[in-house]
Amino acid sequence: DSMFITSVMGMNSDFQLKVAMTIVLCLVLMYTTVGGMISVVFTDYLQFVVMSLGLVVTSILLMIHFGWSNIVDTVGHIKGEAGFNPLMADSGIGPSYLVWMFFLGLISACVWQTSVMRATSAESEAVVRRTYSWGSVGFLIRFLIPYFWGVCALVFVWQHPQLKGIFLPANVKVDSSLQLRAMPIALSSLMPAGFIGLLTAGMLAAAMSTYNTYLHTWSAVLTQDFVAPLTGNRMSSRTRILVARIIMCLIAFFLLVWGLWYPLGERLWDYMAITGAIYFTGAFATLTGGIYWKG
């Protein structure tokens, strides 16, 4: 989301990216500490409405501009069979990656903290079931359509020699952070001016709804499951809210420094995969044992 927003706005330097995301995070922190779960639900709903409109209209416009046969032929020319078969090693995916993603998706649906927070906030089990059933359809669409946009961006770059030299130079490996800017640059060139503004607003809403969910979720977990037990659960509701807001500010500061301004010195996805595996392993074992083991 951050790459998309800054690329569309022409902010291509690393410093501009950090400043823009710092401002966004501060805004999210401000309304989340005041609004709590209500603000999370409200912004998520707005995100769904704006993004749904943007996803559908953008996909239709891209299909009209490129044409399905042109997209298929270009991908086949660039990637060959590997462009259509994810089981091939040259596709960049392969069987082991697909299996990994399958289990990652299965486990994260059960223990991903933001999903669990929404489930535990529902009024009944029936609501939770409907939320997961219909939500899975939305997640599938949200994943597949941006992939299609990425394919269209590949076709767009391939058809423009200047961009091709930047994003697809011969015998040169391009940095992944640069490749991530190809799609927003292509969309900003293809979409009407007014509509690209709507789409950017949708991406901004998506980023903000993600931030506020994490801030609210982890502050609630630390308050209820760590701080409150240390006090013998004698904290009043007002005190719990105050503690949660303080923790929320600390989490935001950690996200800002560690996730944005501090150079990790390694591949970001590798870092996320390792830390995610540590959390998912313990959380999934706890959940499975709690449901199926009487002890």
Side-chain angles (χ1 to χ4, degrees), residues 142-216:
R142 286 179 57 188
F143 275 96
L144 289 179
I145 290 183
Y147 291 156
F148 172 69
W149 294 0
V151 174
C152 292
L154 175 65
V155 177
F156 179 79
V157 169
W158 185 262
Q159 294 175 349
H160 291 75
Q162 184 177 1
L163 294 176
K164 182 180 177 181
I166 297 175
F167 293 102
L168 298 172
N171 302 321
V172 177
K173 186 177 181 180
V174 180
D175 185 77
S176 58
S177 62
L178 176 61
Q179 291 179 331
L180 290 174
R181 296 187 181 274
M183 184 180 72
I185 290 176
L187 291 179
S188 63
S189 301
L190 295 171
M191 296 296 104
F195 183 76
I196 195 63
L198 176 64
L199 186 61
T200 303
M203 289 294 181
L204 184 60
M208 296 176 72
S209 68
T210 301
Y211 299 154
N212 68 16
T213 303
Y214 279 118
L215 290 174
H216 185 271

Side-chain angles (χ1 to χ4, degrees), residues 256-271:
L256 181 63
V257 176
W258 185 255
L260 191 62
W261 288 94
Y262 180 78
L264 288 175
E266 58 182 306
R267 291 177 61 89
L268 180 59
W269 177 247
D270 292 341
Y271 172 80

Side-chain angles (χ1 to χ4, degrees), residues 50 76 247:
V50 176
I247 294 176

Side-chain angles (χ1 to χ4, degrees), residues 176-291:
S176 58
S177 62
L178 176 61
Q179 291 179 331
L180 290 174
R181 296 187 181 274
M183 184 180 72
I185 290 176
L187 291 179
S188 63
S189 301
L190 295 171
M191 296 296 104
F195 183 76
I196 195 63
L198 176 64
L199 186 61
T200 303
M203 289 294 181
L204 184 60
M208 296 176 72
S209 68
T210 301
Y211 299 154
N212 68 16
T213 303
Y214 279 118
L215 290 174
H216 185 271
T217 298
W218 286 110
S219 63
V221 169
L222 292 173
T223 301
Q224 296 295 97
D225 299 335
F226 180 72
V227 178
L230 291 178
T231 63
N233 289 313
R234 293 188 296 270
M235 295 169 57
S236 64
S237 297
R238 183 182 296 273
T239 303
R240 289 173 188 259
I241 293 175
L242 176 61
V243 172
R245 287 174 172 172
I246 294 174
I247 294 176
M248 205 176 290
C249 294
L250 296 175
I251 293 174
F253 179 76
F254 170 78
L255 292 175
L256 181 63
V257 176
W258 185 255
L260 191 62
W261 288 94
Y262 180 78
L264 288 175
E266 58 182 306
R267 291 177 61 89
L268 180 59
W269 177 247
D270 292 341
Y271 172 80
M272 294 177 61
I274 294 173
T275 55
I278 294 173
Y279 166 66
F280 283 165
T281 301
F284 191 69
T286 302
L287 177 65
T288 305
I291 295 177

